[in-house]
């Protein structure tokens, strides 16, 4: 089985990825949050810092690109190749209205003919591995058949399937009927993504889909950064390990982000997930959310770790 860390804009940047790798060694591949190539042919400095090889040493990272323009994709992929990347991932999943209204992300799925022309263009121009992270349709799962027909025409490195449609965002149950369809009709290697939050979820998935040998974790792994270790070796994460990981992420952000407010913003986003690891954490969670300065924040986090234990995993 291959275990991937999903791209999560605002969360899984290089500071987070490096800290994760330092304390939890079990993830095979990390994806960057999406990079958006533009006509001015320049990456933003934030994008560039995120994929620079010196910021990703010892990590297997695949950069993700969000666009619906073949020439922009080709430019970005070639640039990334110059930095040593031999694989790029195309985002066909983002449900955000600002992205979808421009026909990108899951919005691109609603224009299958254009999508096919885009694939023709990028596959004939690039000598790199290209993988795709897709939803099962923009408005309906009925779209999946046509999408698979398109994907089947090209030698994708892999098709990462998040079985929801755009308007689901990240709600509702992932549609496993659609996964069955992709298993039976898809010709490219398949990787599954969606709602794997625990060892039990993982086991239920693998017993339903024994032929799929690749899984990608997002929110479940941000909540429990030790989840893949738990799945692979039955090692449950120790509280001290989570604290040490947290401290390393915080150290990393303090080094590169100026101002308490901005550092706190990033840390609080993480806690929206990690707080779920603790039982009875309402009061502590609130203190963390309300903290205005790093001193206050550290005190709130320290008392959380001192007073509460991690929940029994399940
Ligand atoms: C805050 C947030 C940011 C995300 N950013 C990205 C992104 O940059 N690129 C992408 O392909 N998916 C992105 N996703 C989707 C995740 O990669 C993943 O597909 C989704 O969370 C479902 O998997 P999960 O149930 O394991 O969390 C994001 C999701 C969330 C919640």
């Amino acid at each position: 089985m291959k275990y991937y860390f999903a791209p999560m804009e605002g969360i899984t940047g290089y500071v987070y990825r490096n800290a994760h790798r330092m304390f939890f060694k079990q993830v095979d591949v990390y994806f960057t949050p999406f990079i958006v190539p533009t006509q001015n042919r320049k990456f933003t400095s934030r994008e560039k810092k995120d994929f620079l090889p010196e910021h990703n040493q010892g990590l297997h990272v695949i950069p993700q690109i969000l666009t619906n323009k073949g020439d922009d994709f080709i430019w970005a992929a070639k640039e990334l190749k110059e930095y040593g990347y031999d694989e790029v991932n195309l985002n066909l999943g983002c449900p955000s209205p600002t992205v979808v209204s421009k026909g990108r992300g899951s919005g691109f799925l609603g224009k299958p003919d254009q999508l096919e022309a885009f694939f023709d263009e990028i596959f004939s121009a690039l000598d790199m591995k290209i993988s795709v992270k897709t939803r099962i349709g923009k408005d309906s799962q009925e779209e999946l058949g046509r999408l698979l027909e398109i994907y089947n025409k090209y030698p994708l490195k892999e098709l990462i399937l998040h079985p929801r449609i755009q308007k689901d965002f990240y709600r509702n149950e992932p549609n496993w009927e659609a996964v069955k369809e992709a298993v039976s009709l898809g010709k490219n290697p398949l990787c599954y993504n969606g709602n794997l939050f625990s060892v039990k979820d993982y086991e239920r998935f693998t017993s339903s889909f024994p032929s799929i040998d690749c899984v990608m974790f997002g929110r479940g792994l941000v909540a429990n950064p030790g989840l893949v270790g738990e799945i692979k070796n039955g090692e449950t994460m120790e509280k001290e390990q989570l604290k040490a990981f947290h401290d390393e992420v915080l150290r990393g952000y303090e080094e590169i982000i100026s101002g308490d407010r901005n550092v706190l913003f990033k840390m609080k986003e993480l806690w929206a997930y990690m707080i779920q690891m603790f039982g009875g954490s309402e009061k502590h969670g609130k203190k963390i959310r309300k903290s205005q300065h790093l001193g206050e924040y550290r005190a709130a986090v320290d008392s959380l770790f001192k007073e509460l234990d991690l929940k029994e995993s399940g």
Side-chain angles (χ1 to χ4, degrees):
M1 184 63 82
K2 285 175 286 177
Y3 301 90
Y4 293 174
F5 208 136
M8 288 176 74
E9 168 67 14
I11 298 178
T12 63
Y14 74 95
V15 165
Y16 184 92
R17 296 194 299 268
N18 281 287
H20 188 265
R21 184 67 186 178
M22 189 181 285
F23 292 95
F24 305 96
K25 309 245 178 271
Q26 310 290 352
V27 166
D28 298 303
V29 180
Y30 295 82
F31 288 74
T32 70
F34 61 74
I35 294 166
V36 185
T38 50
Q39 285 299 315
N40 71 11
R41 297 290 179 252
K42 274 195 179 121
F43 294 113
T44 64
S45 76
R46 187 165 62 98
E47 288 170 344
K48 202 163 165 179
K49 281 181 194 150
D50 196 47
F51 68 67
L52 275 179
E54 54 263 44
H55 289 164
N56 291 284
Q57 279 175 18
L59 299 173
H60 184 175
V61 172
I62 297 175
Q64 184 187 65
I65 301 172
L66 174 79
T67 184
N68 58 3
K69 295 203 172 62
D71 56 344
D72 288 353
F73 187 93
I74 292 163
W75 169 79
K78 285 186 171 166
E79 283 288 308
L80 288 161
K81 195 172 184 185
E82 294 289 306
Y83 285 93
Y85 292 97
D86 66 351
E87 177 172 349
V88 286
N89 177 262
L90 171 69
N91 179 322
L92 291 178
C94 183
S96 150
T98 50
V99 166
V100 172
S101 65
K102 295 187 186 117
R104 299 175 183 158
S106 62
F108 206 177
L109 302 177
K111 298 176 176 156
D113 295 342
Q114 270 168 253
L115 184 64
E116 191 166 9
F118 173 92
F119 273 102
D120 266 344
E121 194 179 344
I122 65 171
F123 275 92
S124 55
L126 290 170
D127 177 22
M128 288 171 84
K129 290 181 260 183
I130 300 171
S131 63
V132 169
K133 181 162 178 282
T134 186
R135 291 193 179 230
I136 56 178
K138 177 174 176 288
D139 299 313
S140 149
Q141 73 171 100
E142 308 290 309
E143 296 164 32
L144 182 60
R146 170 77 176 111
L147 293 172
L148 287 170
E149 236 174 64
I150 297 171
Y151 301 147
N152 283 347
K153 280 181 62 186
Y154 303 92
L156 304 188
K157 154 75 189 331
E158 122 196 298
L159 183 66
I160 304 167
L161 190 68
H162 178 57
R164 289 189 166 100
I165 57 173
Q166 183 267 330
K167 73 167 189 291
D168 290 329
F169 289 87
Y170 300 107
R171 298 185 293 259
N172 306 327
E173 281 300 299
N175 182 335
W176 283 13
E177 285 305 312
V179 181
K180 280 187 199 150
E181 186 179 340
V183 167
S184 70
L185 301 178
K187 294 199 172 127
N188 289 295
L190 205 57
C191 182
Y192 172 81
N193 167 241
N195 285 31
L196 300 177
F197 299 133
S198 65
V199 176
K200 271 198 192 119
D201 290 338
Y202 171 81
E203 286 172 350
R204 198 166 68 88
F205 173 77
T206 51
S207 61
S208 305
F209 295 97
S211 68
I212 296 183
D213 66 355
C214 176
V215 283
M216 173 184 267
F217 301 82
R219 293 163 299 171
L221 196 49
V222 178
N224 175 3
L227 180 59
V228 174
E230 224 176 282
I231 288 170
K232 280 169 101 167
N233 319 320
E235 300 165 354
T236 45
M237 178 174 63
E238 299 292 332
K239 192 162 76 167
E240 293 68 29
Q241 205 181 356
L242 183 62
K243 177 68 164 62
F245 165 68
H246 164 275
D247 292 351
E248 178 61 20
V249 176
L250 177 60
R251 192 198 61 73
Y253 285 147
E254 284 191 85
E255 203 175 287
I256 64 159
I257 301 174
S258 61
D260 280 22
R261 266 174 66 90
N262 299 324
V263 174
L264 283 178
F265 180 82
K266 299 287 279 184
M267 295 309 296
K268 288 178 189 179
E269 209 168 346
L270 268 190
W271 277 111
Y273 300 91
M274 290 198 308
I275 198 74
Q276 299 160 27
M277 294 302 289
F278 296 85
S281 56
E282 219 161 87
K283 198 183 85 200
H284 291 88
K286 193 166 167 190
K287 257 190 169 169
I288 292 174
R289 278 198 310 279
K290 300 253 167 204
S291 59
Q292 298 283 337
H293 306 287
L294 279 167
E296 211 183 325
Y297 169 80
R298 279 205 176 84
V301 170
D302 285 348
S303 78
L304 167 79
F305 275 100
K306 214 158 91 201
E307 290 163 27
L308 299 184
D309 285 321
L310 298 183
K311 277 186 199 163
E312 289 285 308
S313 63

